[in-house]
Amino acid sequence: MARRPVLLSGDPHAPFPDVSLALRQPDGLLAVGGDLSVPRLLAAYRSGIFPWYSEGQPILWWSPDPRTVFRTGAVHLSSRFRRELRRLRWQVRADTAFDAVVAACAAMPRPGQDGTWIVPGMRRAYAHLHRLGHAHSIEVFDEEGRLAGGIYGVAIGRMFFGESMFSARSGGSKVALAALARWLDERGWPLIDAQVGNPHLESLGAEAWPRARFMDALAALTAAPGLGGSWTGEFGTIPASGLAGPTAD
């Protein structure tokens, strides 16, 4: 008999099933149901699990194998893009436009997807996490002060779980990712969870880790002291041109 995803109880404090029970097809589907309350979401991320579903579906919870991650010191920007960066007068900030970043991510058309998984319930849930200091956005502003790109996700301990990113101008999401990775790397946060890989993420340096390796790293990082509350002051303003690095590749 084919294995089915676990049905979650109505108790948001109930533990998630072990990720070893996740299905192989579709890869990583572990559980169904429950809610998007703060206790449930934080417990999910600590357990290597995230929600991902479409409008009209129940809440679906996933833990794929392999897991896609960025090492914060190894995000790759091509030499051509870094040459372009040196000419840009863009600036990067944190937690100054969270709702706008999430809305832009939801509105971005994505190959192979009909509609968005960032449904209204998800947007409300992550806005609540943001107000409590658990979810953060990195925003890239162009020379006219308009959003050129961004990324948002959840931070627990010294682990950042990337949820989605967007570009309103070419390269906007790359700048957001590179700025976030550098900032985290400087503070001893070694990983960004990218969940599921694709060629674009791989071109930026994403790696596919066996789920067991990811879970081992996750346990230590989520238990480490983190940085709660707003990141705006600590992050400051980073010139995008400063992410270009030395002239030679």
Side-chain angles (χ1 to χ4, degrees):
M1 186 174 184
R3 187 189 297 176
R4 295 173 180 249
V6 176
L7 180 63
L8 295 183
S9 76
D11 179 5
H13 298 280
F16 276 87
D18 191 274
V19 296
S20 64
L21 297 176
L23 306 186
R24 296 304 305 169
Q25 290 295 330
D27 179 30
L29 180 58
L30 174 66
V32 61
D35 57 34
L36 297 175
S37 64
V38 170
R40 179 111 54 184
L41 283 170
L42 295 180
Y45 285 106
R46 287 191 182 98
S47 303
I49 300 162
F50 58 87
W52 187 21
Y53 65 103
S54 299
E55 192 70 57
Q57 291 182 322
I59 301 172
L60 304 176
W61 301 88
W62 303 78
S63 183
D65 188 8
R67 187 68 164 245
T68 300
V69 300
F70 285 99
R71 288 180 290 117
T72 55
V75 170
H76 173 72
L77 299 178
S78 70
S79 56
R80 177 180 178 182
F81 183 65
R82 289 195 279 117
R83 286 195 298 271
E84 295 172 359
L85 266 184
R86 294 186 186 100
R87 298 192 296 267
L88 292 177
R89 292 183 289 112
W90 294 1
Q91 295 184 327
V92 190
R93 303 187 187 99
D95 286 344
T96 67
F98 183 87
D99 291 341
V101 168
V102 175
C105 288
M108 282 292 292
R110 303 185 190 273
Q113 292 187 22
D114 182 16
T116 179
W117 58 270
I118 308 175
V119 297
M122 290 277 275
R123 290 173 65 170
R124 289 191 296 271
Y126 285 86
H128 192 192
L129 282 178
H130 174 64
R131 290 193 296 272
L132 295 175
H134 301 299
H136 305 278
S137 60
I138 306 301
E139 308 109 15
V140 182
F141 295 93
D142 67 15
E143 58 277 354
E144 297 182 6
R146 298 173 300 192
L147 268 177
I151 185 171
Y152 79 95
V154 175
I156 301 177
R158 294 196 176 207
M159 183 73 196
F160 189 87
F161 303 88
E163 276 296 308
S164 187
M165 58 185 182
F166 83 98
S167 293
R169 291 185 58 178
S170 178
S173 62
K174 294 180 186 178
V175 171
L177 175 64
L180 171 64
R182 177 179 293 187
W183 189 77
L184 293 176
D185 186 47
E186 290 170 349
R187 284 154 182 79
W189 297 41
L191 295 179
I192 296 172
D193 175 32
Q195 299 178 348
V196 179
N198 59 47
H200 175 62
L201 296 181
E202 291 163 11
S203 74
L204 295 171
E207 303 174 3
W209 283 18
R211 184 169 56 211
R213 179 185 178 188
F214 175 77
M215 294 299 295
D216 285 345
L218 183 67
L221 291 172
T222 55
L227 181 62
S230 172
W231 285 3
T232 302
E234 179 81 11
F235 194 92
T237 299
I238 297 175
S241 59
L243 301 168
T247 301
D249 196 353

